[in-house]
Amino acid sequence: MTLLRVAEPQEERAQRLEREFQAVLDAAVDAVVLFDHEGRIELLNHAGERMFGYKEEDVVGLKVNILLPEPYRSQHDDYLRQYIEAGEPRIVGIGRELLAKRRDGSEFSAELAIGRVQGTDPPRFAGFIRDITVRRNAEEALRRSEAQLTIAQEIANLGNYVIHFDGRFEDYWSPHLYRVLGRRYGERYIGVYEYLEPMVHAADRTRWQQMRGDLAAGARSADIEYRIIHPDGSLRYVHHIAQTTYGPDGRALRQVGTLHDITDRRRAEDEARQMQDRIAHFGRISTMGEMAAGIAHEVNQPLTAIATFAQACQRLIATGDVEMSEITYALDQISTQALRAGEVIRRLRSFVKNREVRREPMEANRLLDDVLMLAQTDAHHHGVRLILEPCDNPPYVQADAVQIQQVILNLVRNSIDAMQEIAEPQREILLRTQIDAEGDVEFMVADRGAGVASSVATDLFNPFFTTKPGGTGLGLSISRSIVRAHGGKLWCSANPGGGARFFFTLPAAPAPAGS
């Protein structure tokens, strides 16, 4: 083959090279334009015809700057002259991006490269033009997307990161992640976990290390909230979500994560809880105010007994005819009645004290037993009998005892008030615990009173709605908030035997070890 090429006549070789050159021009996807030292077009390939909308014969002899809009059109002749006269490579041999102009006047983004044809004098030039509209649109769309993502992260106070375990790409922190973690954007890169480790609050460190260990051991995702100490010393709450991607061979490829600063949300939740606790405390004090007469009666009975037995002792001593057994009996009774009065006061103080909410596992039946003394006091005072139907094999609930007692006592108080217009022998309240169909623990307080009118049933649990003269309208609203905070629900229905039945549920909890 080489020998044939060597023996090829010069004219045939030139024709063959011409055909091959033309084939290359026709196959090119970029526009190719040849022009002389004056900038006049000598050749435009098929791709150039398609790109600019001209036929080759329409532009041959015209200035090549016809393919450019202003200000590039005017600049092109100056750049070409400067190259020819002074060798200054403003465009020749240097690629650049600019706007190009089609025959119909429309403009598009293009990449231009110009090279000098070697061995020509005066010089001739070849220009290569690539339509980069799609690429520029994609880049612009990406910039807009990144800008929108940055704005969204700023609004949400959230940042993200990417860790590449295979080393093929650089790890990444989003601009707002720097702000979430108290750094200035552009500071020296550091691994997100290495940066976080000394910042994690001591009380949350064990959970955080467990999460990191689980991810290192192959867990695909993590979702955790914890506290960090900012470089400025402030305490921040963050919600950290991470997702790890693995290759077919089981090796970790990358991890994508987000860190959401939820400090404001957590503070708002804490303030809401504190407000709810204060309202619940007010509700307990209000309930005690309504029960004051019954409580006074309950305390007055043992005090009267104490006074009676003390006077009996005094009379025995005064007569000089002292029987030690009688004195001992009287002192025992004084002690018993004092303990009885003290127990009422103790339970009263425990109920009304403003205290921190503590949810602990406890028997559902015990919640009824503990509230019974206070409820019984008020019931006796109003001629009402309390009947208990505790659940067999008593279930456990995770609850704050005082708050649930507040709910029960409030329902009992409402039932007592609802039965004041009926005959005393019919006044009875049934308190029952059982397991419902969904496995939750159901509490019921049922009375034989006037019932709940359908006209007020929908407003019954709304704040400040009341049917009692002088009532605050907060009791049932507070009770519903307490039950909801415990993961349960509160509702009422008509009692088939007359009156109303109030129910509330609490999720069942496992019995504590050793119970």
Side-chain angles (χ1 to χ4, degrees):
M1 190 70 178
T2 304
L3 293 176
L4 290 175
R5 287 290 176 89
V6 171
E8 185 180 18
Q10 185 71 21
E11 184 177 347
E12 290 182 12
R13 183 171 183 273
Q15 293 174 352
R16 178 179 60 78
L17 292 174
E18 179 69 22
R19 289 193 301 273
E20 291 176 351
F21 175 65
Q22 189 63 48
V24 170
L25 290 178
D26 292 342
V29 296
D30 294 338
V32 179
V33 57
L34 297 179
F35 55 94
D36 63 15
H37 65 290
E38 294 182 340
R40 299 188 181 280
I41 298 174
E42 298 179 349
L43 178 148
L44 182 68
N45 71 340
H46 292 333
E49 291 179 331
R50 293 191 298 270
M51 187 177 295
F52 288 95
Y54 291 103
K55 290 295 184 181
E56 183 182 29
E57 57 267 25
D58 295 337
V59 295
V60 170
L62 300 179
K63 285 292 192 72
V64 70
N65 63 9
I66 194 177
L67 305 179
L68 302 174
E70 292 293 353
Y72 306 106
R73 176 176 294 184
S74 301
Q75 293 171 349
H76 185 270
D77 285 345
D78 292 338
Y79 291 158
L80 190 62
R81 185 175 61 256
Q82 290 170 5
Y83 175 78
I84 294 172
E85 295 176 356
E88 185 177 347
R90 299 294 295 274
I91 55 173
V92 178
I94 301 175
R96 65 179 301 200
E97 292 185 5
L98 42 64
L99 291 178
K101 184 177 182 181
R102 300 185 183 93
R103 184 172 189 169
D104 63 7
S106 61
E107 299 177 0
F108 63 95
S109 298
E111 195 172 66
L112 171 65
I114 297 176
R116 177 175 178 173
V117 180
Q118 297 299 318
T120 58
D121 191 22
R124 298 168 66 224
F125 303 91
F128 299 87
I129 305 167
R130 174 172 296 174
D131 186 342
I132 60 171
T133 303
V134 173
R135 191 186 81 193
R136 290 295 296 273
N137 288 345
E139 290 173 348
E140 182 60 28
L142 179 60
R143 278 194 293 270
R144 286 198 303 269
S145 177
E146 289 177 342
Q148 291 166 357
L149 177 61
T150 299
I151 293 172
Q153 289 193 352
E154 289 178 358
I155 293 173
N157 209 5
L158 175 149
N160 71 290
Y161 66 88
V162 182
I163 300 173
H164 295 279
F165 298 111
D166 55 9
R168 294 177 58 190
F169 303 97
E170 291 184 356
D171 292 349
Y172 170 76
W173 282 34
S174 72
H176 199 66
L177 182 61
Y178 284 83
R179 293 181 60 183
V180 170
L181 296 182
R183 301 188 73 200
R184 288 193 302 274
Y185 180 64
E187 287 184 341
R188 180 182 63 85
Y189 175 81
I190 184 172
V192 65
Y193 288 102
E194 287 71 22
Y195 181 75
L196 277 170
E197 186 164 14
M199 298 174 64
V200 177
H201 193 281
D204 298 331
R205 189 174 300 278
T206 300
R207 290 191 304 110
W208 183 83
Q209 290 174 338
Q210 179 67 43
M211 177 271 293
R212 187 177 180 185
D214 290 345
L215 287 172
R220 292 186 176 272
S221 62
D223 189 332
I224 184 176
E225 292 184 6
Y226 54 89
R227 289 162 290 179
I228 59 174
I229 307 298
H230 251 219
D232 63 6
S234 62
L235 177 68
R236 314 295 294 178
Y237 290 85
V238 294
H239 182 195
H240 188 168
I241 299 176
Q243 185 86 35
T244 303
T245 302
Y246 291 85
D249 58 358
R251 289 190 302 174
L253 299 178
R254 76 186 66 86
Q255 183 185 117
V256 178
T258 61
L259 282 157
H260 185 190
D261 188 330
I262 58 171
T263 304
D264 292 341
R265 189 195 81 191
R266 288 295 296 269
R267 287 174 178 167
E269 290 173 352
D270 289 343
E271 289 175 1
R273 276 194 296 269
Q274 292 171 8
M275 179 60 69
Q276 181 178 327
D277 292 344
R278 286 195 291 269
I279 293 173
H281 181 231
F282 165 76
R284 292 197 295 274
I285 294 174
S286 178
T287 300
M288 287 300 99
E290 295 174 2
M291 297 171 58
I295 292 172
H297 177 73
E298 186 69 16
V299 174
N300 191 54
Q301 282 186 327
L303 292 179
T304 300
I306 290 171
T308 300
F309 284 108
Q311 290 169 1
C313 287
Q314 288 176 329
R315 285 196 301 271
L316 289 172
I317 294 172
T319 61
D321 185 14
V322 179
E323 290 286 340
M324 292 305 299
S325 58
E326 293 180 354
I327 295 296
T328 301
Y329 173 77
L331 292 175
D332 287 342
Q333 290 299 314
I334 290 173
S335 176
T336 300
Q337 296 302 319
L339 291 174
R340 176 185 169 189
E343 181 64 14
V344 174
I345 299 300
R346 185 190 68 79
R347 288 181 179 270
L348 181 62
R349 289 184 60 191
S350 176
F351 186 73
V352 300
K353 185 170 65 172
N354 193 10
R355 44 179 283 284
E356 181 181 354
V357 176
R358 294 188 301 273
R359 295 184 186 175
E360 301 169 338
M362 60 187 60
E363 283 188 13
N365 293 346
R366 180 187 157 195
L367 289 168
L368 293 183
D369 293 337
D370 287 349
V371 80
L372 190 60
M373 176 177 286
L374 293 175
Q376 195 79 269
T377 298
D378 202 35
H380 284 166
H381 184 68
H382 291 87
V384 177
R385 287 174 291 114
L386 296 182
I387 303 172
L388 265 62
E389 288 187 2
C391 179
D392 294 333
N393 299 317
Y396 277 78
V397 293
Q398 188 82 13
D400 180 272
V402 171
Q403 287 195 340
I404 300 304
Q405 289 167 17
Q406 178 177 355
V407 174
I408 298 170
L409 191 58
N410 184 66
L411 298 179
V412 171
R413 280 286 312 142
N414 288 345
S415 292
I416 291 173
D417 290 341
M419 292 189 293
Q420 292 308 295
E421 302 302 323
I422 67 173
E424 187 167 319
Q426 299 176 2
R427 298 178 190 174
E428 65 178 31
I429 299 174
L430 174 62
L431 288 84
R432 186 177 69 196
T433 57
Q434 65 179 18
I435 302 296
D436 68 8
E438 298 178 358
D440 292 333
V441 181
E442 181 184 273
F443 295 77
M444 184 191 76
V445 178
D447 63 58
R448 299 291 184 181
V452 178
S454 58
S455 60
V456 302
T458 56
D459 297 320
L460 202 58
F461 297 100
N462 292 338
F464 306 111
F465 176 82
T466 181
T467 58
K468 300 179 186 179
T472 64
L474 290 174
L476 287 176
S477 175
I478 293 171
S479 296
R480 184 176 61 175
S481 297
I482 290 172
V483 171
R484 283 181 173 176
H486 280 74
K489 54 187 177 180
L490 170 65
W491 72 99
C492 75
S493 66
N495 194 342
R501 297 190 302 179
F502 282 80
F503 301 87
F504 71 91
T505 59
L506 298 177
S515 62

